[in-house]
Each structure stands twice: as structure tokens, then as C-alpha cells.
Amino acid sequence: VQLQACGGGLVQAGGSLRLSCAASGTFFSIHDMGWYRQAPGKQRELVAVVTSVGSTNYADSVKGRFTISRDNAKNTVYLEMNNLKSEDTAVYLCNADGTILGSTRAFNSWGQGTHVTVSS
């Protein structure tokens, strides 16, 4: 299962960006989809995750500013980021886990990452 992320860029503090990540492949079922980020010199951290039934969880640092959603028909996850701050600057990576249909094989895939830079 391959993930393709897009939507990053340069934005001023207080601005907004929308990231999207589409999963492709054949015969798979996705369970959770999420966004992580990694800033220079820092560990990768969870930003937000959404389950197959729409339950969400957010890092405390983005609650109230970021919204994660997914379109199951398109196997796509979105991250709406509002009121961006300089500390949101990072490479954002999407992640998806699930199973290969017709088997018990699980997968856990990562997208290639998209850069988000917030200027103050």
C-alpha cells in the first residue's frame, strides 16, 4: 500500500494549510490513518489520527487548530491546519495501517513527507 501526501508549503504565522494523503494499491482495508511530524533535531511525534469509524485523537499542541478527516471511498486522509505557528514547522508524514483483504497480513505504510514552513 503506497501513500502519497501533498499540500505542504510556506505560510505566515496565523495562516492555514490543508494536507492530503491518498492510499493506493489493491485489495486492502485501512484501519487508522494519521499524520505525524518531525522537526529538525526533534523526534517524530503524532499530530492526529482518525479511525475507520471516524474517531479522532490529537496532540495537545494542535487541539482546536487542526482537524483531521478522511474519505473512505477515496482512501484519503486530510489535515486542515489553521492558526499556524512557527513551532508547527516540520516535515509532515502520513501513516496508514490495515490488512490485506483475503488474508491476515497487516500493513503499516508511510508517505514520503511534505514540508510545512511557518514564518513568524
Side-chain angles (χ1 to χ4, degrees):
V1 179
Q2 295 80 42
L3 301 180
Q4 180 69 43
C6 61
L10 173 64
V11 64
Q12 289 188 330
S16 299
L17 281 175
R18 188 186 193 220
L19 307 182
S20 63
C21 177
S24 62
T26 56
F27 309 117
F28 60 90
S29 174
I30 300 176
H31 302 160
D32 296 346
M33 301 187 82
W35 289 95
Y36 292 72
R37 66 186 181 187
Q38 187 164 18
K42 295 187 176 181
Q43 289 188 331
R44 185 175 297 183
E45 63 174 355
L46 174 68
V47 177
V49 64
V50 57
T51 70
S52 58
V53 295
S55 298
T56 58
N57 191 34
Y58 295 90
D60 288 342
S61 59
V62 306
K63 283 181 181 177
R65 299 188 298 122
F66 291 11
T67 302
I68 190 170
S69 62
R70 64 190 279 177
D71 184 332
N72 290 331
K74 296 180 179 180
N75 292 318
T76 300
V77 62
Y78 305 96
L79 186 67
E80 186 75 33
M81 304 184 293
N82 298 315
N83 191 21
L84 283 160
K85 305 176 181 180
S86 58
E87 50 263 43
D88 295 318
T89 295
V91 175
Y92 284 71
L93 304 106
C94 58
N95 175 266
D97 65 57
T99 54
I100 304 300
L101 293 178
S103 77
T104 58
R105 284 195 298 142
F107 70 87
N108 188 293
S109 297
W110 291 89
Q112 82 284 9
T114 184
H115 289 260
V116 172
T117 303
V118 184
S119 63
S120 56

